[in-house]
Amino acid sequence: MPDNSDIPGLSFEKALAELEGLVRKLEEGDASLDGAIEAYERGALLKQHCQKKLDEAKARVDKITVSADGTVATVTADME
């Protein structure tokens, strides 16, 4: 089984780029069965990592509001 311990340290952009590459590779159908299974497993972990990064970013994003009198305030973004 391949070592996937590097995934937690990947940035969102690097993880997404690798995930896209794995999807292309699987769509081409040139991989062996074992290779395809390993790519799928790593892809699932990369997808989970990307989702976690997106959720963390969404939690940190603040919405800036300006009231009618010009007062500026921040409101934490909804976590729907």
Side-chain angles (χ1 to χ4, degrees), residues 2-22:
D3 180 17
N4 292 311
S5 63
D6 63 322
I7 292 175
L10 293 175
S11 68
F12 174 82
E13 293 79 9
K14 286 186 179 184
L16 184 59
E18 184 178 344
L19 180 56
E20 289 171 342
L22 288 173

Side-chain angles (χ1 to χ4, degrees), residues 9-45:
L10 293 175
S11 68
F12 174 82
E13 293 79 9
K14 286 186 179 184
L16 184 59
E18 184 178 344
L19 180 56
E20 289 171 342
L22 288 173
V23 168
R24 276 192 301 277
K25 181 179 177 182
L26 287 170
E27 287 177 342
E28 291 170 1
D30 295 334
S32 66
L33 178 59
D34 286 340
I37 291 170
E38 287 177 7
Y40 181 84
E41 289 171 345
R42 183 161 176 91
L45 293 172

Side-chain angles (χ1 to χ4, degrees), residues 53-74:
K53 290 285 191 183
L54 286 172
D55 291 343
E56 289 170 356
K58 185 174 181 181
R60 293 189 342 240
V61 172
D62 287 340
K63 180 180 177 185
I64 299 173
T65 61
V66 180
S67 64
D69 67 358
T71 306
V72 177
T74 57

Side-chain angles (χ1 to χ4, degrees), residues 35-52:
I37 291 170
E38 287 177 7
Y40 181 84
E41 289 171 345
R42 183 161 176 91
L45 293 172
L46 287 165
K47 184 225 174 253
Q48 184 178 40
H49 176 69
C50 287
Q51 186 61 56
K52 180 181 174 193

